[in-house]
Amino acid sequence: MGERIGLEVSLAVSEAVKLARVDAVAAYPITPQTHIVEELAQMVADGELDAYYIMVESEHSAMSACCGTAAVGARTFTATASQGLALMHEMLFIASGLRLPIVMAIANRALSAPLSIWGDQSDVMAERDIGWVQMFAETGQEAFDLTLCCFKIAEDPRVILPTIINIDGFTLSHVVEPLELESQEDVDAWLPTYVPVHVLDPAKPTTVGPVGFPEIYTEIRKQQDMALIGSYDVVLEVWESFEKKFGRAYKPVESYRADDAEIIINLIGAIAGTARIAVDRMREEGKKVGLVRTRLWRPYPFEEMRKALGGAKAVAVVDRALSFGGPGGPIASELRSCLYPLDKKPVVASYIAGLGGRDVTIEDFYTIVAETEKVLETGYTDEYKMIGVRE
Amino acid sequence: MAEKSTDFIPRLLPPRELFAEGHRGCQGCGEALALRQVIKVAGPNTIVCSATGCMEIISSPYPETAWRIPWIHVAFENAAAVASGVEAGIKVLQKKGRYPEGKINVIAIGGDGGTADIGLQALSGALERRHNFTYVCTDNEAYMNTGIQRSSSTPWGASTTTSPSGKESIGQNVPKKNLPKIVAAHDIPYLATACPSYPLDLMNKTRKALEVEGPTYLHVLSPCPTGWRHPIDMAVEMGRLAVETGVFPLYEIVNGRLKLDMVMEKREPVIDYLKPQGRFRHLKPEQIEEIQKVVDEYYESLVYRAECDAKAPEANADEW
């Protein structure tokens, strides 16, 4: 077990990347991710990390260069947020389609307009279908641990897919938290040198990124989908082996006081900390409220979510992203689809909160639960509700 | 009688085509010809990073491939950024002993759209970062892959599907972007203009570009029978006419000094180049005169610059 220290979470991610001994980093500065790549640049400058750091001229080129480094067999990392992720959009599909196991950290941030450097999850929710393995951390320790896990998952020969570790911008990325870093020796033993499956090598020429005509495109997409669905077991396996080695356990879904709960709050990311306090207070007041935090976003943990939420009367889903004019926040609409096959299913109420750096407070969770009680009594009045709007 | 060198030299070239025959290029494609010559010189220890475009789609219809060397296509605007990654990745992995030793040529290839328009930023970034790679722009002066739409590299007066000539339009109504000049502003050690109609020249320039350490650039005019609307057996001749009229002067810029490959005091009239091409068919005599004037002025300015550069001290004289 490592030493317990206080560290900014961004820097904890950088530490994990260093301990993973990445070979290449290509990144472009954008708030609130920048501390991660600044720290990596410093590590390279100080000779602590033996990697090629490509200081690209845009996020589009960052992901393009990552495709290049990964294609020749380099363990590759990048980080971005918000507009940067949006600029990468085109490349994200290609990175997964070409089966390049790049690891990316996203310090989740709002999308413009109006311009906002502050946190929410609109950026990554717009990238739901890119075909990457995607997960969300709540704490600094989790950010550190999951970053290490991402490399092992992405590079597993059964997966070979790019992988995202999401950390909430500012509320997680910029806070100093107590956490344990692991030793290089232990990480080396758990995460050996990357041995790529496919490499651009003149000794064995391959054609990467060809044209796929209609008679083959569907089959290639099917293969990719099988790989992403199949990555689920590998994710579980990697988390189990991580627990064995380092003693900290991770599951696709995290339940808190949810077993007998009538109303369960479902959310993703760092606001779970506040939600837990709200749940405790409401429990003290005799309300049967619980919390389920979804950690693994892609592949979506259908069975675990059904198990964790299927027994409740209602699920109050809190999204830090808005699907304008749609069926509710992205987490809520995924959950509705997930629960739909159940004979007896909870009511799913969708709430939008914490946009563009707006705090999600304990009071907000009280409001959300009260609104959900109303929905239980009278049924839906809105597809979704925005919480904390000043009118 | 002794063989002429032009008869003899081709026999010294490696006969094996690493950019293989049987691809799906149009008949008489000047771009495929250029690529074949470049890849012949580059040889087997080469990785090609291709932008989306004609050469990409004709060479890689899965499960077929025309590439006997490692080849990667990622997207349209990022061949230079992908090449940056490939070059950087090889460098770091060779240092760590995890990639076979030896020199690997990293070549990025893009058309004029993928280079002068949508890929300009990625190209500038890769040049500025001094990656050790060669960028080859095969310039056929429009978006031919999508059906002959104008690019910033389309010459003034050319009719394309998005700059059509008509009662109120001359066709492309702005001059061709001078991309080599923009690339030269990055102060890279070597750049050259070339044309597959002069195969030995193109191949020698490719050799030089690959030998030089650092980013190098080849701007290759690639006649396109489909888009230029000239007969399919005239691609080589069109390239020659482009050079002989001064429309596309061949030069090298080595460490900042420009050298014209042949100083032609008497050049063919531009009408000889324009006339066989359907894209210029609508031009009136006075418009052709205007083109002649612009071509002459530009050519004379290059001659003057080459004279001045010849007298200037070379900043960073590398031998090859």
Side-chain angles (χ1 to χ4, degrees), chain A residues 58-134:
Chain A
S58 74
E59 286 88 354
H60 194 282
S61 282
M63 190 44 64
S64 304
C66 284
C67 288
T69 57
V72 294
R75 181 172 282 166
T76 300
F77 176 82
T78 187
T80 191
S82 183
Q83 309 303 126
L85 184 66
L87 186 58
M88 276 183 189
H89 175 78
E90 180 198 20
M91 302 315 305
L92 299 174
F93 288 85
I94 301 177
S96 61
L98 297 183
R99 308 293 295 277
L100 299 168
I102 299 156
V103 173
M104 172 159 69
I106 305 174
N108 302 115
R109 165 185 148 181
L111 288 169
S112 200
L115 180 68
S116 167
I117 62 158
W118 294 276
D120 71 26
Q121 293 165 350
S122 317
D123 55 1
V124 74
M125 287 304 167
E127 308 298 343
R128 192 188 60 177
D129 297 333
I130 53 176
W132 291 46
V133 177
Q134 302 188 40

Side-chain angles (χ1 to χ4, degrees), chain A residues 34-314:
Chain A
T34 320
H35 290 183
I36 299 173
V37 296
E38 280 175 356
E39 184 69 4
L40 289 170
Q42 192 64 52
M43 287 166 171
V44 173
D46 292 341
E48 292 171 14
L49 172 60
D50 188 7
Y52 195 124
Y53 189 115
I54 312 175
M55 290 150 281
V56 282
E57 81 296 334
S58 74
E59 286 88 354
H60 194 282
S61 282
M63 190 44 64
S64 304
C66 284
C67 288
T69 57
V72 294
R75 181 172 282 166
T76 300
F77 176 82
T78 187
T80 191
S82 183
Q83 309 303 126
L85 184 66
L87 186 58
M88 276 183 189
H89 175 78
E90 180 198 20
M91 302 315 305
L92 299 174
F93 288 85
I94 301 177
S96 61
L98 297 183
R99 308 293 295 277
L100 299 168
I102 299 156
V103 173
M104 172 159 69
I106 305 174
N108 302 115
R109 165 185 148 181
L111 288 169
S112 200
L115 180 68
S116 167
I117 62 158
W118 294 276
D120 71 26
Q121 293 165 350
S122 317
D123 55 1
V124 74
M125 287 304 167
E127 308 298 343
R128 192 188 60 177
D129 297 333
I130 53 176
W132 291 46
V133 177
Q134 302 188 40
M135 58 189 77
F136 286 78
E138 180 195 338
T139 67
Q141 186 68 60
E142 198 178 335
F144 173 83
D145 293 351
L146 293 187
T147 302
L148 282 174
C149 292
C150 281
F151 287 100
K152 209 171 169 75
I153 295 162
E155 295 166 1
D156 190 293
R158 293 164 291 175
V159 178
I160 329 176
L161 282 172
T163 300
I164 287 171
I165 167 72
N166 286 287
I167 57 173
D168 284 287
F170 292 112
T171 45
L172 187 55
S173 68
H174 280 53
V175 296
V176 175
E177 288 198 4
L179 48 88
E180 286 165 22
L181 301 181
E182 300 300 337
S183 71
Q184 186 68 63
E185 201 188 346
D186 284 347
V187 173
D188 284 348
W190 183 75
L191 181 68
T193 306
Y194 171 41
V195 182
V197 180
H198 307 290
V199 174
L200 287 173
D201 174 5
K204 288 168 281 174
T206 47
T207 291
V208 178
V211 178
F213 283 106
E215 58 266 32
I216 199 69
Y217 183 87
T218 306
E219 286 68 25
I220 294 174
R221 284 312 217 200
K222 173 74 181 171
Q223 281 184 349
Q224 192 187 332
D225 192 38
M226 284 164 67
L228 187 61
I229 293 168
S231 73
Y232 189 77
D233 291 339
V234 177
V235 172
L236 296 187
E237 201 181 296
V238 167
W239 284 346
E240 272 166 34
S241 88
F242 187 88
E243 185 190 1
K244 235 187 215 164
K245 178 78 186 171
F246 300 108
R248 291 180 293 274
Y250 294 103
K251 292 175 293 177
V253 172
E254 200 85 19
S255 292
Y256 181 74
R257 303 186 83 165
D259 282 350
D260 63 335
E262 288 173 357
I263 295 177
I264 300 180
I265 298 163
N266 177 220
L267 47 72
I268 274 177
I271 56 169
T274 314
R276 231 176 267 119
I277 297 169
V279 165
D280 285 345
R281 289 198 190 164
M282 286 187 248
R283 281 279 180 179
E284 277 169 30
E285 292 156 16
K287 278 192 202 298
K288 284 191 165 178
V289 177
L291 169 71
V292 167
R293 173 167 70 95
T294 311
R295 178 179 284 119
L296 185 63
W297 179 237
R298 281 294 182 278
Y300 191 81
F302 289 97
E303 278 313 313
E304 278 71 8
M305 291 295 281
R306 284 175 192 140
K307 228 186 283 169
L309 296 164
K313 281 189 185 164

Side-chain angles (χ1 to χ4, degrees), chain B residues 31 49-54 75-81 108-124 135-146 149-153 177 179 217 219:
Chain B
E31 204 176 356
C49 308
S50 209
T52 310
C54 286
F76 194 3
E77 66 279 58
N78 64 355
I109 291 171
D112 49 295
T115 309
D117 289 351
I118 200 167
L120 186 58
Q121 175 184 312
L123 173 64
S124 177
Y135 193 101
V136 180
C137 171
T138 47
D139 179 6
N140 57 19
E141 303 195 317
Y143 292 88
M144 300 312 185
N145 186 31
T146 42
Q149 292 84 26
R150 66 80 76 179
S151 77
S152 62
S153 201
K177 184 189 272 186
L179 189 59
Y217 176 83
H219 194 97

Side-chain angles (χ1 to χ4, degrees), chain A residues 241-387:
Chain A
S241 88
F242 187 88
E243 185 190 1
K244 235 187 215 164
K245 178 78 186 171
F246 300 108
R248 291 180 293 274
Y250 294 103
K251 292 175 293 177
V253 172
E254 200 85 19
S255 292
Y256 181 74
R257 303 186 83 165
D259 282 350
D260 63 335
E262 288 173 357
I263 295 177
I264 300 180
I265 298 163
N266 177 220
L267 47 72
I268 274 177
I271 56 169
T274 314
R276 231 176 267 119
I277 297 169
V279 165
D280 285 345
R281 289 198 190 164
M282 286 187 248
R283 281 279 180 179
E284 277 169 30
E285 292 156 16
K287 278 192 202 298
K288 284 191 165 178
V289 177
L291 169 71
V292 167
R293 173 167 70 95
T294 311
R295 178 179 284 119
L296 185 63
W297 179 237
R298 281 294 182 278
Y300 191 81
F302 289 97
E303 278 313 313
E304 278 71 8
M305 291 295 281
R306 284 175 192 140
K307 228 186 283 169
L309 296 164
K313 281 189 185 164
V315 184
V317 184
V318 186
D319 267 283
R320 296 190 71 192
L322 177 58
S323 169
F324 297 98
I331 308 171
S333 34
E334 299 285 85
L335 181 66
R336 285 202 187 105
S337 301
C338 170
L339 297 178
Y340 189 77
L342 297 182
D343 291 333
K344 191 175 157 286
K345 43 188 164 271
V347 165
V348 176
S350 171
Y351 302 97
I352 314 298
L355 295 184
R358 180 72 58 88
D359 283 336
V360 184
T361 62
I362 294 169
E363 289 69 36
D364 288 336
F365 285 109
Y366 269 89
T367 309
I368 285 160
V369 169
E371 289 286 339
T372 308
E373 283 167 343
K374 264 192 253 167
V375 171
L376 276 175
E377 281 164 27
T378 59
Y380 293 108
T381 50
D382 302 286
E383 298 300 333
Y384 55 91
K385 270 207 167 118
M386 289 177 77
I387 298 300

Side-chain angles (χ1 to χ4, degrees), chain B residues 30-91:
Chain B
E31 204 176 356
L33 192 59
L35 210 50
R36 179 181 164 209
Q37 294 170 14
V38 167
I39 299 305
K40 215 177 231 314
V41 176
N45 286 325
T46 301
I47 297 178
V48 171
C49 308
S50 209
T52 310
C54 286
M55 292 303 99
E56 173 261 325
I57 62 140
I58 63 140
S59 68
S60 76
Y62 184 89
E64 297 162 21
T65 180
W67 296 96
R68 292 192 171 111
I69 50 177
W71 178 88
I72 182 168
H73 156 248
V74 179
F76 194 3
E77 66 279 58
N78 64 355
V82 174
S84 302
V86 167
E87 186 258 1
I90 290 172
K91 206 175 242 176

